[in-house]
Amino acid sequence: IQRGEPSVLSWVVRGATEVVISQGVGRVQSPGSRTVFPGTTVQYILTAVTAEGIFEARVDVIVRTQS
């Protein structure tokens, strides 16, 4: 994306007792989505706690500078 543009994070975690997303997003409900406006390239990490254990998912949002 270009700097200033939105990026939509969306997720579905079944059976989770807690779902947290890094980079200041915080605790979220599942299923869910969040629109973010990162100023630089960033990696978001979703951490989910379930009866089976703790799971992580990662996504990079690449922010390009306008030329």
Side-chain angles (χ1 to χ4, degrees), residues 8-12 32-34 46:
V8 178
L9 309 175
S10 59
W11 58 89
V12 176
S33 66
R34 182 71 53 94
L46 179 147

Side-chain angles (χ1 to χ4, degrees), residues 44-65:
Y44 291 92
I45 303 170
L46 179 147
T47 304
V49 179
T50 73
E52 289 78 34
I54 298 173
F55 300 91
E56 286 188 351
R58 299 166 186 261
V59 65
D60 294 321
V61 177
I62 298 171
V63 177
R64 303 195 187 283
T65 57

Side-chain angles (χ1 to χ4, degrees), residues 32-48:
S33 66
R34 182 71 53 94
T35 301
V36 294
F37 295 84
T40 59
T41 294
V42 65
Q43 182 176 80
Y44 291 92
I45 303 170
L46 179 147
T47 304

